[in-house]
Amino acid sequence: MVITKEKVSSDIINLNDVQLRQVAEFLDYLKFKETSKRPRQFDESEIAKLYQEFSEEDRELAETDLADYAENLNFEDAKK
């Protein structure tokens, strides 16, 4: 059986709303599946920029959390 775009288009025109939604969801799945097969191309400069941004954020969080942690330890020690 030969499948052509015209035949598929003709069949789609005759679908009800539920069937049309199912076809649309399947098309989305096929597109997703195709893009997930391709190896991702990473821009090393963008990765370096993100690494720098996140490392600064991590350091700030660690310093803040460490101060909170020490404060809580002192609080717990004072209760004893």
Side-chain angles (χ1 to χ4, degrees), residues 55-71:
S55 67
E56 289 173 15
E57 183 179 329
D58 287 347
R59 186 173 34 262
E60 289 171 9
L61 287 171
E63 289 172 1
T64 301
D65 289 344
L66 189 57
D68 289 345
Y69 177 71
E71 194 175 305

Side-chain angles (χ1 to χ4, degrees), residues 1-76:
M1 176 177 166
V2 176
I3 298 176
T4 63
K5 289 182 180 183
E6 291 78 20
K7 171 71 172 122
V8 172
S9 296
S10 170
D11 289 343
I12 287 175
I13 289 171
N14 297 316
L15 296 177
N16 64 39
D17 289 344
V18 172
Q19 293 169 323
L20 188 59
R21 182 169 300 148
Q22 290 172 336
V23 169
E25 289 173 358
F26 184 67
L27 290 173
D28 288 341
Y29 164 74
L30 290 176
K31 291 175 193 174
F32 171 77
K33 188 172 127 180
E34 185 62 30
T35 58
S36 66
K37 283 183 185 177
R38 293 185 211 141
R40 293 184 178 170
Q41 299 296 324
F42 294 107
D43 178 3
E44 288 191 28
S45 64
E46 185 66 24
I47 292 173
K49 180 180 163 188
L50 288 170
Y51 178 81
Q52 180 66 30
E53 177 185 328
F54 289 125
S55 67
E56 289 173 15
E57 183 179 329
D58 287 347
R59 186 173 34 262
E60 289 171 9
L61 287 171
E63 289 172 1
T64 301
D65 289 344
L66 189 57
D68 289 345
Y69 177 71
E71 194 175 305
N72 286 333
L73 283 178
N74 290 333
F75 177 75
E76 290 297 319

